[in-house]
Amino acid sequence: PERYWPFALLDEDDPAFLEEHFRRLVGLKEHIVFHKTELTPKRKDILSSLQAHHMTFLIHTRSDLRYAYIRDIVHNFPSLKIQVAHMARARPGDVSFMIEMLEALAPFPHVSFDTSTVRQSQVVEAAVKIVGPERILYGSDFPFFMDELGIEDIMEQQIRHILKAGLPSAQQDLIFSENFKRLITRGI
């Protein structure tokens, strides 16, 4: 159980869920497949509870609304921990968009980024320069990887992409484990 860090899927139809289960969870996950990218009154109530319990809001949002949406969340919930999945990418390989999002979200200290599905070491290197190594988490969302032959190797490839960034070992330690220990916590 100590190695299991559960996020629950955001459910605006059951706002009491978080209050009933916050001690067992580390946060809620919003996904573009299931949720609109909008800050509804129900979502505001849920995010208020997340913030009060020092939990994380893991988001996958519409890329064209991402910055404005996160800015609005930060404005309403300034100490809410927000984790942006996949280094904020819109599409795999869209390096310029990831860097643009990192730069736009850099001023928000409670916004962190995960490396899952990011296959470009230069993005990891740029992220460290833009937001600092303290706000990057290795594969915390879903660290899948599939090569050109359709062979999936979840861990090895994701680790390799971070190692290829040529970061000092102290920064690698932050990304691979220390940031997770500090940023992802069960509700209190």
Side-chain angles (χ1 to χ4, degrees), residues 99-119:
I99 291 173
E100 178 183 325
M101 284 293 99
L102 287 160
E103 289 171 343
L105 298 171
F108 307 135
H110 294 290
V111 176
S112 61
F113 304 86
D114 100 297
T115 65
S116 62
T117 75
V118 175
R119 297 174 171 98

Side-chain angles (χ1 to χ4, degrees), residues 1-10 17-18 21-29 50 55-58 83 140-141 180 184-187:
E2 64 275 358
R3 293 182 66 192
Y4 181 64
W5 297 89
F7 280 90
L9 193 61
L10 175 68
F17 176 85
L18 183 62
H21 302 285
F22 72 90
R23 285 185 177 85
R24 297 184 345 196
L25 302 171
V26 297
L28 296 178
K29 179 177 181 176
L50 269 179
M55 299 168 77
T56 300
F57 189 40
L58 173 58
Q83 182 181 353
S140 54
D141 178 47
F180 187 89
I184 307 297
T185 58
R186 294 187 196 280

